[in-house]
């Protein structure tokens, strides 16, 4: 279940992507300003999406090229 939060796309409400949460070195928990130590997938009513915390998906390129594709 997502909510329209940014740029018309649906994003999952998770404390991992919240503006008010901080990730420690081990990235196993979130340190929340309001609720203290919470799980990564926890969410609350004070959730504010931070697009800089989201890591984009890798683009997979097709590497199966044929030599004939490069001839003029």
């Amino acid at each position: 279940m997502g909510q329209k939060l940014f740029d018309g796309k649906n994003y999952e409400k998770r404390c991992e992507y919240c503006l008010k949460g901080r990730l420690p070195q081990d990235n196993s928990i979130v340190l929340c300003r309001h609720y203290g130590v919470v799980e990564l997938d926890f969410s609350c009513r004070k959730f504010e999406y931070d697009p800089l915390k989201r890591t984009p998906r890798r683009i997979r390129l097709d590497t199966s090229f044929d030599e004939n594709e490069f001839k003029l």
Side-chain angles (χ1 to χ4, degrees):
M1 290 175 30
Q3 182 180 6
K4 284 191 175 182
L5 298 171
F6 183 73
D7 199 26
K9 297 182 181 176
N10 292 332
Y11 292 107
E12 214 175 333
K13 285 179 71 173
R14 298 178 61 162
C15 282
E16 183 179 5
Y17 310 129
C18 183
L19 184 65
K20 296 177 172 94
R22 300 277 180 224
L23 288 172
Q25 291 285 331
D26 60 353
N27 293 336
S28 62
I29 57 172
V30 176
L31 303 173
C32 180
R33 290 184 198 165
H34 298 283
Y35 288 95
V37 178
V38 294
E39 296 292 324
L40 292 173
D41 58 350
F42 181 78
S43 67
C44 66
R45 285 186 270 165
K46 298 186 184 278
F47 177 80
E48 289 183 41
Y49 181 67
D50 184 8
L52 298 177
K53 289 189 177 181
R54 189 171 212 34
T55 54
R57 281 188 259 152
R58 281 192 160 244
I59 299 173
R60 296 187 182 209
L61 299 176
D62 184 20
T63 58
S64 60
F65 297 115
D66 188 18
E67 187 178 321
N68 294 330
E69 293 178 6
F70 297 103
K71 289 185 180 178
L72 293 177

